[in-house]
Amino acid sequence: MRIPRTFGQYVAVESPVHSLDAKTKMGLVAAYTVALFTVERFAGLGAAGIVVIGAVVLAQVPWRLALRGIKAVSVILAFTLFAHALRWNPATVSLVRFGPLAVDGEGLRTGLFFAARIVLLVVGTSLLTLTTTPVQLTDGLERLMRPFARFGFPAGDVAMMLSVALRFIPTTAEEADKIILAQMARGARFDEGGLLRRAKAYVPVLIPLFVNLFRRAEELAVAMESRCYHGGPGRTRLDPACMRGRDWTVLSCGAALLVALGVLL
Amino acid sequence: MIEFQNVSYTYSGADVPALVDISLRLAPGEIVVLVGANGSGKSTLARLCNGLLVPSEGTVTVNGMSTIDPERVFDVRSRVGLVLQNPDNQIVGTVVEEDVAFGPENLGVATADLRIRVDDALAVVSLTGMERREPHLLSEGQKQRLAIAGALAMGPDYIVFDESTAMLDPPGRADVLAVMQRLRSAGHGILHITHHLDDAAHADRIVALDAGSIAFDGQVEEFFEQNERLSDLGLELPPLAAAAAYLRNAGLVVPAAVADARGLVEALWPS
Ligand SMILES: Nc1ncnc2c1ncn2[C@@H]1O[C@H](COP(=O)(O)OP(=O)(O)O)[C@@H](O)[C@H]1O
Ligand SMILES: [Mg+2]
């Protein structure tokens, strides 16, 4: 049994995409999402697909990782496809019929369109976390949240919280694996019975996991305080994230292209 | 100099003090090993060193600065690094260099200097070349050396290790002990808290805590000679020192604290 740890799984290579500022990439992902939801034709999705393929190749991210997110939404994909394509005893002409069950040509088209849109959305957005370290992401978020600091919003603390949470995902997943193995060694079964029974089987995993998390949190607080963390202003950065000329060029050209794509196709 | 003067500490809500009337000194360039049973107050003492806890009675000073002084909190913490037992719980960054930079970033060190500090600290712990590695992909020994680099990057004079070798395999432990030696040579004062008396072989001095009080403060050799007291303190002589004790009881002249088996052999049969 493996706990997935896709989120925040950064691929450490040097590429033109990696070197872009996190805010640039967030802006592009936002424009890309808007474009995906405004295109009305397959040609539009095809164009978006070309953009994503280009981005994955440029980013030198292995396809296996770039496409991994699709597995998580496979149920939604299947549901989208079937809900649109299948008809029960339709009066209209159908593509294929199995008794009362029929595949509707128009519905299949729509289903494929929506499914392709979900796939493109997942691959495109996961590219952001694959090419940006969680710290760069949270730094970017902090910068975007900074205007709200004026109204007393603790932007720095929130960014640090997010960053630490992301940092502890792999550690926690490893620990959960260990506890699951330990419980299995004592005869616990996680693959038996209905949904409720399976969910219940995880209670003896979650309790020690949470107890350990609290212990970790306490020690982490000691470690962070020992290293002079104070949550106040005046923190400097090893990699100060700043928008360079290249970022502005890529952001404005990319966003313009994506918006044009959304409007025209 | 880290100096404890008649320090007592009681946790809020506790009936008995965790530390009673501790007076202690740690000078630059020396390794002091601190031993004691579970609950004897070792971690409490460690946290008093950098002002995470402040004494209920008495004073702790670091290079003359009192840890109670609110103006000096960050001065004190950057002078005294603290490395804990479980490396997983003290690594904040998602890649190695980000983690090392965490301390000096908090201190507001300028970006150009940050890079120098990170490179220097990683060189001391032999992790150069791993800058972009994710911490959870490192071995336990490497993680612990990363935690040391994180403390070093603040530019401390002293480093307190709170059972930092307890979770490591023998090679990982040897690496961390070697780093401590290197730090001592570079003039850092080291307080090494441990359960293993064999770690004392490399120490300049040993301090033993018993139920919150200092039961011994002096030479390692002298401490090992009083081996009947050790079991009262919840400690056990390492095999080599136990062998030396038996030999001494049998009337042979060997040192009570030897660093390795060869030392013992040479004491018996000088070449
Ligand atoms: N946060 C706390 N609150 C109350 N009592 C504590 C706390 N931490 C430690 N103690 C108590 O203080 C004593 C010394 O603990 P500690 O310094 O952790 O010992 P050691 O590190 O030698 O095992 C123990 O009796 C322990 O139960
Ligand atoms: Mg302790």
Side-chain angles (χ1 to χ4, degrees):
Chain A
M1 178 129 8
R2 298 281 291 173
I3 309 285
R5 37 202 92 166
T6 348
F7 202 107
Q9 201 72 310
Y10 174 72
V11 180
V13 292
E14 309 228 332
S15 82
V17 180
H18 283 70
S19 64
L20 284 176
D21 188 272
K23 297 185 283 297
T24 308
K25 285 184 262 189
M26 285 189 226
L28 287 176
V29 166
Y32 172 76
T33 307
V34 170
L36 272 185
F37 280 95
T38 45
V39 293
E40 287 157 356
R41 271 166 284 198
F42 273 103
L45 290 185
I50 291 170
V51 170
V52 165
I53 291 172
V56 172
V57 171
L58 262 182
Q60 295 165 30
V61 170
W63 281 104
R64 185 177 54 81
L65 292 179
L67 299 178
R68 189 150 76 179
I70 296 176
K71 220 173 109 187
V73 294
S74 50
V75 175
I76 299 175
L77 285 180
F79 184 78
T80 308
L81 207 56
F82 291 141
H84 283 98
L86 296 184
R87 295 282 186 282
W88 194 260
N89 256 336
T92 50
V93 193
S94 310
L95 217 53
V96 205
R97 269 190 101 113
F98 312 97
L101 198 65
V103 177
D104 179 68
E106 191 52 39
L108 184 65
R109 244 180 84 87
T110 323
L112 278 176
F113 185 84
F114 284 128
R117 177 190 277 171
I118 295 173
V119 168
L120 286 171
L121 186 67
V122 167
V123 177
T125 46
S126 69
L127 206 52
L128 177 66
T129 49
L130 286 168
T131 63
T132 319
T133 66
V135 170
Q136 289 168 341
L137 270 181
T138 45
D139 276 356
L141 275 179
E142 189 210 9
R143 182 66 196 84
L144 297 179
M145 289 186 297
R146 207 177 292 163
F148 301 103
R150 216 169 300 158
F151 310 111
F153 182 75
D157 278 337
V158 169
M160 180 55 68
M161 249 161 58
L162 284 172
S163 156
V164 166
L166 290 173
R167 140 81 183 88
F168 273 91
I169 285 176
T171 311
T172 310
E174 268 162 37
E175 184 153 340
D177 281 343
K178 268 189 223 152
I179 297 173
I180 287 172
L181 279 178
Q183 302 291 31
M184 273 162 67
R186 299 181 192 169
R189 299 292 303 260
F190 296 96
D191 50 1
E192 257 180 6
L195 202 61
L196 192 66
R197 180 125 178 243
R198 285 192 200 193
K200 269 189 180 161
Y202 278 94
V203 172
V205 173
L206 289 178
I207 290 173
L209 192 64
F210 271 88
V211 170
N212 280 348
L213 275 179
F214 280 113
R215 192 170 308 147
R216 274 184 200 290
E218 213 176 319
E219 242 184 80
L220 184 70
V222 168
M224 286 173 69
E225 272 193 75
S226 295
R227 290 162 75 185
C228 301
Y229 183 69
H230 46 77
R235 222 173 111 72
T236 48
R237 300 314 315 264
L238 180 65
D239 271 322
C242 59
M243 300 280 286
R244 298 191 183 83
R246 185 165 150 261
D247 283 295
W248 289 113
T249 317
V250 172
L251 181 58
S252 46
C253 294
L257 177 86
L258 286 165
V259 168
L261 199 155
V263 173
L264 295 178
L265 294 171
Chain B
M1 187 83 79
I2 298 183
E3 192 161 12
F4 281 62
Q5 279 177 334
N6 308 103
V7 171
S8 296
Y9 185 83
T10 311
Y11 283 100
S12 62
D15 316 325
V16 284
L19 289 177
V20 185
D21 197 24
I22 301 286
S23 294
L24 189 69
R25 286 167 164 226
L26 176 69
E30 73 171 345
I31 296 186
V32 173
V33 157
L34 177 67
V35 293
N38 276 335
S40 59
K42 304 184 296 294
S43 298
T44 309
L45 194 149
R47 283 156 204 204
L48 281 158
C49 288
N50 72 349
L52 282 186
L53 300 177
V54 292
S56 313
E57 278 166 51
T59 55
V60 177
T61 55
V62 174
N63 293 350
M65 304 177 281
S66 168
T67 58
I68 308 179
D69 188 350
E71 310 257 288
R72 295 302 188 95
V73 173
F74 297 116
D75 283 332
V76 166
R77 286 187 195 166
S78 60
R79 297 267 69 85
V80 185
L82 179 61
V83 180
L84 305 174
Q85 181 175 40
N86 186 344
D88 272 326
N89 299 354
Q90 40 189 330
I91 294 172
V92 188
T94 32
V95 296
V96 165
E97 62 178 12
E98 272 167 10
D99 185 67
V100 179
F102 182 73
E105 282 178 347
N106 291 331
L107 293 170
V109 171
T111 299
D113 294 336
L114 278 175
R115 178 56 63 185
I116 298 171
R117 286 195 187 209
V118 169
D119 290 347
D120 288 353
L122 285 175
V124 173
V125 300
S126 316
L127 284 178
T128 305
M130 304 246 183
E131 287 82 358
R132 305 295 304 167
R133 201 67 77 81
E134 288 172 50
H136 70 101
L137 299 178
L138 301 178
S139 74
E140 293 300 302
Q142 288 173 326
K143 282 184 201 169
Q144 198 58 289
R145 282 186 278 143
L146 170 58
I148 299 173
L152 273 179
M154 293 191 302
D157 298 325
Y158 312 94
I159 299 191
V160 177
F161 292 87
D162 190 356
E163 301 198 34
S164 309
T165 54
M167 290 180 69
L168 305 181
D169 58 358
R173 185 165 156 262
D175 284 343
V176 169
L177 291 177
V179 170
M180 288 187 200
Q181 292 292 343
R182 226 173 296 161
L183 293 175
R184 164 169 60 182
S185 314
H188 292 83
I190 308 284
L191 183 65
H192 178 190
I193 298 174
T194 178
H195 268 306
H196 291 285
L197 278 185
D198 21 349
D199 286 345
H202 75 153
D204 298 303
R205 228 170 77 218
I206 186 164
V207 175
L209 278 182
D210 183 21
S213 307
I214 291 186
F216 184 90
D217 182 350
Q219 299 302 312
V220 182
E221 177 105 346
E222 198 185 320
F223 185 62
F224 280 8
E225 281 167 10
Q226 321 181 336
N227 55 17
E228 15 1 288
R229 279 185 68 192
L230 295 183
S231 54
D232 298 341
L233 297 173
L235 298 167
E236 196 177 74
L237 269 188
L240 212 54
Y246 282 123
L247 291 169
R248 289 161 65 91
N249 281 344
L252 291 162
V253 183
V254 293
V258 281
D260 55 12
R262 179 169 304 152
L264 198 55
V265 171
E266 269 170 14
L268 285 170
W269 297 285
S271 51

